[in-house]
């Protein structure tokens, strides 16, 4: 059963269109399960009816013709109840409805299971048989398993070119794709689809002008791969068991074969660029291998994929330099990494849209640092078909339009204009103080990490840096930076802001932040070796960093240190011990270093129960609300599938913050919030009410938050908090705070326009 399932799912994922996928499913299932009929009905969202989309067994003319409501027939009943229906004699059932076009009168046994994605019924998968009998439980569970796996693929196909009534190639144009707001603002521009290197299955199509040159480029890549494979064989043939070197022989054979090479060059001739032509060919070959009964041959599908990856890597290496970015580039991909962002000339990048990620993923944080709108977690986006299309990305609502209709585009152009006006108005606040209307000063600090952030942070009027993420300078190198190298980077930041304080966080890698030269392979990286856990295990790395920071601050005196990912008090003790040691040793070496203030990040829930002993140990606390929310709610901050559950306005997070403020107050230790919450106008209003002492956020949010601070009194914020504390649901809380902002005329901070 598992084998059947695996091969069906692989084939469906490799199918070129939804139509093809549906036909494949019904044919494979009918044969594998030896039933008389297998059919798929999908919901037509316009009419709300179920439409027969594919069938192997019913009369072909009924496909696309038979339609029924949720309150009609057995298929409707399955959809209505959202549960399987297993009948030995369907015509006996009171809900049975007969469609003459189908030839259904011949069938008795009926098994229908719903296809459900994100709690929504997308369709029904049906098996039928002449004989009267009830399907075995393992057939039912197999069908349920297949339906669950297909649901994602169908939802994706629907949104990206799938079902519009009965047309299977729905135009993408004009329908908004839905994702999560990543960074505020509206971007209108051209999509440039990028993919992780050598991700052969997600390479987009792209038209090619010079067919001959493209074919040559491809053949050259193949030649290079052949050479590499031969060199590999020479290298390891002595050490390798015969079976494994046979694998390389098979590679060489495939690279010489006319089918693979010929198919790709043919597709290039038809107008697709080499990587796109390669993707189509490789997927077709994978499909062919997957269809084979012999398990050994089926395994060869993996070899084809690997070979495809190698050729692609060659093509990409030759391509990377020549990439042309249009003036208004919106970077689009499954995942947008820091290096992809870095490849686009800053003046050309206007937006980011990705399938994965969410508001607090590091891609979003980078986009906000760069001040460009971002929509993430658009899991229905057809990356392969979107290149070069005109896109509108609304970083407030999380909507993405492809080739939007004229009126929508006009409206967004208007909103963009309003955004520009709003930004200009906000600029007027730059030199104003961040005080509430009843005179409470709430210092606003910037979050930085890249040297290029310094300028915008200073321009935003930040009173200092509340979080300098030191991992960014570590991420863009190919080895750990040395003490002097680090000192110079830190010095630039400290000098740029002096005398304003700069809070430097010690290295916080692990989780979703990997160093290319220090790979960590773990099942649960967010619960694993991360932040202070790594640096305490590697005092040599920690001490070099601390020494570099202390030396960088000589004569400036504006350095503060922040310890990330603290879950246990002993970690604070050990870290402080090491910092003191570094300080002491540097003094002995004759450096005029000063002992900085030391703070701890509150981002692991265990600390909520130890706030007082923690506060006794440090000079300040800084709440990392991104991780605190993730750990408190047990919701991966990067996982689009559970992103609905991730909300820093969850009552539990608010209670936690209250506890932190109260505990710290007893020891007169100030509390700051440096997670993305601080830059979210609705949340910032709440933090004001909670009595948080300062806020740190990306420079692009700073003036917006200053506007919030200056528009409310602490008393008003406290009374809003009082109301919020009685609420039980994050959505209700957000709606309430949004209304409060709108009432003060600050709606433009939370949606497009003014
Ligand atoms: C946080 O967790 O809120 C935080 C500020 O740190 P990072 O986003 O870098 O994990
Ligand atoms: Mg964190």
């Amino acid at each position: 059963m598992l084998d059947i399932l695996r091969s069906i799912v692989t084939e469906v994922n490799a199918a070129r269109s939804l139509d093809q996928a549906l036909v494949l499913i019904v044919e494979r299932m009918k044969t594998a399960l030896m039933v008389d009929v297998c059919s798929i009905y999908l919901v037509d969202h316009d009419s709300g009816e179920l439409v027969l989309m594919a069938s192997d067994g019913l009369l072909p003319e009924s496909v696309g013709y038979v339609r029924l409501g949720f309150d009609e027939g057995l298929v409707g009943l399955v959809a209505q109840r959202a549960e399987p229906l297993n009948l030995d004699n369907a015509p006996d059932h009171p809900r049975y409805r007969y469609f003459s076009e189908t030839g259904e009168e011949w069938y008795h046994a009926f098994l229908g299971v719903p296809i459900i994605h994100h709690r929504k019924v997308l369709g029904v998968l049906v098996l039928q048989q002449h004989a009267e009998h009830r399907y075995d439980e393992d057939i039912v569970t197999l069908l349920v398993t297949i339906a669950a796996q297909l649901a994602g693929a169908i939802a994706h196909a629907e949104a990206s070119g799938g079902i519009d009534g009965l047309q299977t190639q729905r135009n993408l144009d004009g329908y908004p794709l839905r994702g999560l707001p990543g960074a505020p603002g509206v971007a209108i521009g051209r999509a440039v689809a990028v993919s992780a290197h050598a991700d052969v299955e997600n390479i987009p199509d792209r038209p090619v002008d010079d067919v001959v040159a493209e074919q040559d480029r491809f053949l050259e890549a193949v030649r290079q791969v052949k050479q590499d494979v031969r060199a590999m064989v020479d290298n390891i043939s002595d050490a390798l068991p015969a079976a494994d070197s046979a694998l390389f022989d098979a590679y060489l054979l495939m690279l010489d074969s006319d089918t693979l090479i010929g198919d790709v060059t043919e597709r290039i001739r038809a107008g697709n660029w080499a990587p796109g032509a390669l993707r189509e060919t490789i997927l077709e070959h994978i499909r062919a291998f997957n269809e084979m009964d012999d398990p050994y041959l089926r395994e060869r599908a993996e070899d084809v994929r690997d070979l495809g990856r190698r050729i692609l890597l060659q093509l990409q290496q030759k391509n990377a330099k020549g990439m042309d970015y249009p003036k208004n580039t919106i970077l689009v991909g499954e995942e947008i990494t820091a290096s992809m962002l870095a490849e686009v000339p800053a003046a050309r990048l206007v937006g980011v849209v990705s399938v994965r990620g969410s508001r607090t993923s590091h891609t979003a944080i980078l986009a906000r640092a760069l001040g460009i709108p971002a929509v993430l977690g658009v899991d229905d986006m057809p990356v392969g078909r979107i290149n070069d299309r005109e896109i509108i990305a609304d970083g407030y609502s999380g909507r993405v339009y492809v080739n939007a209709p004229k009126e929508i585009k006009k409206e967004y152009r208007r909103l963009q204009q309003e955004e520009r006006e709003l930004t200009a108005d906000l600029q007027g606040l730059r030199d104003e103080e961040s005080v509430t209307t009843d005179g409470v000063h709430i210092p606003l600090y910037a979050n930085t990490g890249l040297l290029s952030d310094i300028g915008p942070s200073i321009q935003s009027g930040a009173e200092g840096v509340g979080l300098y993420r030191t991992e960014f300078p570590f991420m863009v190198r190919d080895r750990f930076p040395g003490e002097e190298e680090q000192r110079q980077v830190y010095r630039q930041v400290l000098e740029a802001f002096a005398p304003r304080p700069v809070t430097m966080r010690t290295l916080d890698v692990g989780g979703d932040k990997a160093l290319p030269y220090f790979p960590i392979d773990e099942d649960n990286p967010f619960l694993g070796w991360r932040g202070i856990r790594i640096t305490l295990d590697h005092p040599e790395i920690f001490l070099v960093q601390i020494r570099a920071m202390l030396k960088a601050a000589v004569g400036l005196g504006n350095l503060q240190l922040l310890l990330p990912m603290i879950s246990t008090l002993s970690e604070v003790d050990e870290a402080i011990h090491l910092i003191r040691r570094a300080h002491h040793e540097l003094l002995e070496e004759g450096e005029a270093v000063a002992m900085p203030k030391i703070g701890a990040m509150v981002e692991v829930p265990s600390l909520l129960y130890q706030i007082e002993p923690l506060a006794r140990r440090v000079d300040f606390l800084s709440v990392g609300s991104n991780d605190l929310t993730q750990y408190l709610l047990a919701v991966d901050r990067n996982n689009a599938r559970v992103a609905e559950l991730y909300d820093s306005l969850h009552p539990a997070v608010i209670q936690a913050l209250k506890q932190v403020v109260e505990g710290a107050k007893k020891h007169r230790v100030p509390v700051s919030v440096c997670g993305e919450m601080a830059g979210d106008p609705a949340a910032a209003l709440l933090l004001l009410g909670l009595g948080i002492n300062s806020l740190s956020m990306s420079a692009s949010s700073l003036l917006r938050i200053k506007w919030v601070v200056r528009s409310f009194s602490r008393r008003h914020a406290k009374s809003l908090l009082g109301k919020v504390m009685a609420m039980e649901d994050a959505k209700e809380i957000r709606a309430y705070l949004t209304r409060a902002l709108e009432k003060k005329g600050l709606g433009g901070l939370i949606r497009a326009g003014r």
Side-chain angles (χ1 to χ4, degrees):
M1 286 290 185
L2 256 184
D3 271 353
I4 299 174
L5 180 63
R6 202 171 294 138
S7 83
I8 293 180
V9 170
T10 328
E11 281 187 66
V12 166
N13 285 339
R16 251 170 294 170
S17 66
L18 179 65
D19 258 357
Q20 191 193 26
L22 298 181
V23 169
L24 266 168
I25 298 166
V26 293
E27 285 178 4
R28 293 290 176 280
M29 301 265 294
K30 182 178 171 227
T31 318
L33 303 175
M34 293 184 290
V35 292
D36 298 321
V37 178
C38 179
S39 315
I40 293 180
Y41 297 76
L42 293 184
V43 177
D44 172 356
H45 297 295
D46 291 334
S47 65
E49 290 172 318
L50 288 148
V51 186
L52 177 61
M53 296 295 289
S55 179
D56 189 353
L58 298 182
L59 297 175
E61 52 271 33
S62 60
V63 172
Y65 185 79
V66 170
R67 289 175 161 266
L68 63 170
F70 274 38
D71 53 355
E72 289 178 279
L74 296 174
V75 172
L77 186 61
V78 173
Q80 196 176 38
R81 285 197 190 152
E83 57 184 5
L85 183 64
N86 188 1
L87 301 173
D88 41 13
N89 189 23
D92 281 353
H93 194 282
R95 279 283 293 262
Y96 179 75
R97 186 180 152 194
Y98 167 64
F99 287 89
S100 56
E101 308 80 15
T102 57
E104 260 182 319
E105 60 272 31
W106 302 106
Y107 305 110
H108 295 94
F110 173 99
L111 170 61
V113 303
I115 302 169
I116 301 179
H117 182 64
H118 284 328
R119 306 182 186 188
K120 201 165 127 198
V121 176
L122 301 181
V124 177
L125 189 55
V126 177
L127 303 183
Q128 286 173 284
Q129 210 126 354
H130 291 298
E132 279 189 34
H133 80 96
R134 198 170 277 257
Y135 287 97
D136 290 346
E137 195 173 75
D138 50 354
I139 300 282
V140 180
T141 51
L142 177 74
L143 209 61
V144 169
T145 315
I146 290 186
Q149 297 229 17
L150 291 177
I154 289 173
H156 184 88
E158 276 196 341
S160 62
I163 309 144
D164 181 20
L166 299 177
Q167 292 163 12
T168 49
Q169 270 301 308
R170 179 175 96 178
N171 208 328
L172 275 174
D173 303 357
Y175 295 85
L177 300 169
R178 285 184 187 272
L180 306 159
V186 171
I188 304 180
R190 289 245 149 242
V192 174
V194 287
S195 58
H197 277 308
D199 179 5
V200 84
E201 272 151 72
N202 289 308
I203 280 290
D205 286 336
R206 217 171 258 179
V208 65
D209 297 330
D210 188 344
V211 166
V212 176
E214 193 67 1
Q215 284 176 336
D216 286 350
R217 192 165 83 90
F218 168 69
L219 293 174
E220 173 55 26
V222 171
R223 203 185 57 74
Q224 194 62 47
V225 172
K226 256 195 257 181
Q227 205 172 320
D228 290 352
V229 174
R230 279 203 200 96
M232 233 158 41
V233 176
D234 286 349
N235 248 346
I236 50 171
S237 55
D238 291 344
L240 211 64
D244 290 346
S245 55
L247 164 73
F248 291 114
D249 293 342
Y251 273 28
L252 291 171
L253 276 177
M254 280 194 263
L255 285 169
D256 281 327
S257 85
D258 278 348
T259 40
L260 193 73
I261 308 306
D263 285 358
V264 179
T265 45
E266 190 49 51
R267 288 190 162 111
I268 296 175
R269 191 170 312 133
N272 204 351
W273 71 324
L278 179 69
R279 184 205 69 234
E280 284 188 74
T281 308
I282 292 292
L283 288 180
E284 192 175 86
H285 283 249
I286 290 174
R287 208 161 32 237
F289 275 113
N290 273 332
E291 274 171 26
M292 296 183 182
D293 288 330
D294 180 345
Y296 175 80
L297 287 176
R298 272 208 309 269
E299 296 265 311
R300 302 285 67 77
E302 269 317 300
D303 300 341
V304 177
R305 187 173 283 129
D306 185 48
L307 204 57
R309 239 180 253 142
R310 284 167 195 275
I311 301 175
L312 183 62
L313 201 59
Q314 281 298 330
L315 287 168
Q316 285 178 326
Q317 274 165 4
K318 298 220 160 37
N319 204 47
K321 282 161 234 94
M323 187 83 185
D324 241 357
Y325 294 98
K327 243 192 355 257
N328 295 323
T329 295
I330 296 186
L331 221 45
V332 170
E334 286 288 321
E335 188 144 28
I336 302 289
T337 62
S339 60
M340 289 173 183
L341 283 171
E343 265 168 36
V344 190
R348 294 182 169 243
L349 185 63
V350 300
V352 171
V353 179
S354 77
V355 174
R356 280 199 276 278
S358 64
R359 199 185 140 75
T360 48
S361 61
H362 285 94
T363 310
I365 292 174
L366 271 173
R368 275 197 292 277
L370 296 167
I372 46 173
V375 179
L376 310 177
V378 192
D379 52 4
D380 292 332
M381 183 171 58
V383 176
R385 291 176 45 209
I386 217 164
N387 191 62
D388 209 31
R389 306 269 214 127
E390 191 185 68
I391 290 200
I392 299 176
D394 180 339
Y396 294 96
S397 67
R399 284 201 189 97
V400 176
Y401 289 87
V402 182
N403 289 357
K406 251 209 236 109
E407 318 77 70
I408 291 190
K409 201 169 139 192
K410 198 167 142 210
E411 175 63 8
Y412 269 107
R413 286 233 180 275
R414 189 183 67 75
L415 292 171
Q416 240 185 354
Q417 180 53 34
E418 285 191 12
E419 290 272 298
R420 276 192 284 270
E421 289 165 18
L422 182 79
T423 311
D425 286 356
L426 286 172
Q427 281 307 320
L429 291 180
R430 210 201 96 127
D431 297 319
E432 299 294 329
E433 258 197 303
S434 172
V435 281
T436 59
T437 55
D438 50 357
V440 184
H441 176 209
I442 307 287
L444 301 184
Y445 299 121
N447 288 354
T448 69
L450 307 166
L451 283 177
S452 57
D453 289 345
I454 297 179
S457 302
I458 289 183
Q459 275 146 32
S460 72
E463 293 182 45
V465 173
L467 170 66
Y468 176 73
R469 290 184 165 95
T470 55
E471 44 283 0
F472 290 139
F474 278 71
M475 278 154 94
V476 295
R477 287 184 167 65
D478 56 6
R479 62 189 159 75
F480 280 110
E483 183 176 315
E484 179 52 20
E485 210 173 340
Q486 288 189 49
R487 190 195 66 81
Q488 287 177 18
V489 176
Y490 302 152
R491 180 80 189 177
Q492 284 187 54
V493 184
L494 290 163
E495 250 174 5
F497 284 91
R500 289 167 282 189
V502 174
T503 305
M504 295 200 161
R505 180 170 72 181
T506 64
L507 190 62
D508 182 23
V509 288
D512 64 342
K513 284 175 289 189
L515 298 177
Y517 47 88
F518 190 63
I520 303 169
D521 188 15
E522 293 178 318
D523 283 345
N524 289 302
F526 274 115
L527 300 184
W529 208 38
R530 184 184 172 195
I532 200 79
R533 301 173 180 180
I534 296 181
T535 46
L536 287 180
D537 283 350
H538 280 281
E540 77 287 13
I541 297 173
F542 190 68
L543 284 167
V544 165
Q545 186 174 41
I546 299 296
R547 285 172 59 92
M549 287 174 174
L550 296 182
K551 279 164 88 174
V554 169
L556 298 174
N558 59 341
L559 168 70
Q560 311 199 115
L561 290 184
L562 183 58
L563 306 170
M565 193 61 195
I566 300 290
S567 58
T568 301
L569 297 175
S570 65
E571 290 164 339
V572 180
D573 295 336
E574 285 171 52
I576 293 178
H577 174 74
L578 287 172
I579 294 167
R580 290 219 175 98
R581 201 177 105 191
H583 175 242
H584 186 71
E585 284 169 7
L586 284 168
L587 285 179
E588 277 185 351
E589 289 167 30
E591 303 279 352
V593 290
M595 190 62 191
K597 284 192 176 157
I598 301 176
M601 288 198 76
V602 179
E603 44 187 357
V604 179
S606 59
L607 292 185
L608 299 175
Y609 305 95
Q610 293 190 293
I611 278 297
E612 291 200 42
L614 176 66
R616 278 202 298 270
R617 286 168 162 80
V618 293
D619 301 306
F620 64 96
L621 294 175
S622 189
V623 179
S625 54
N626 305 339
D627 280 314
L628 186 61
T629 305
Q630 138 163 292
Y631 293 129
L632 209 51
L633 305 184
V635 180
D636 180 342
R637 62 195 264 186
N638 290 320
N639 187 338
R641 227 181 259 165
V642 287
E644 280 271 314
L645 292 172
Y646 185 102
D647 196 332
S648 297
L649 292 181
H650 189 291
V653 179
I654 300 171
Q655 284 287 355
L657 286 161
K658 189 160 173 275
Q659 238 166 282
V660 174
V661 173
E662 285 169 0
K665 212 171 176 183
K666 287 193 192 150
H667 299 270
R668 297 176 191 282
V669 167
V671 181
S672 158
V673 171
C674 65
E676 296 312 305
M677 209 182 169
D680 170 350
L685 182 52
L686 203 65
L687 297 175
L688 209 61
L690 275 163
I692 294 285
N693 304 91
S694 61
L695 300 171
S696 191
M697 66 211 72
S698 82
S700 60
S701 309
L702 201 132
L703 291 174
R704 294 164 179 261
I705 300 304
K706 196 186 270 189
W707 201 13
V708 175
V709 173
R710 291 176 57 84
S711 305
F712 286 84
S713 66
R714 173 84 114 198
R715 267 186 55 204
H716 187 180
K718 266 196 184 142
S719 86
L720 292 172
L721 173 71
K723 291 274 185 332
V724 161
M725 289 309 271
M727 296 179 185
E728 296 176 352
D729 177 68
K731 287 203 177 67
E732 189 188 353
I733 295 174
R734 189 169 290 282
Y736 182 73
L737 294 170
T738 300
R739 268 201 307 280
L741 290 171
E742 290 277 9
K743 270 193 210 154
K744 289 270 180 200
L746 307 187
L749 299 179
I750 42 176
R751 50 165 168 73
R754 294 197 79 150

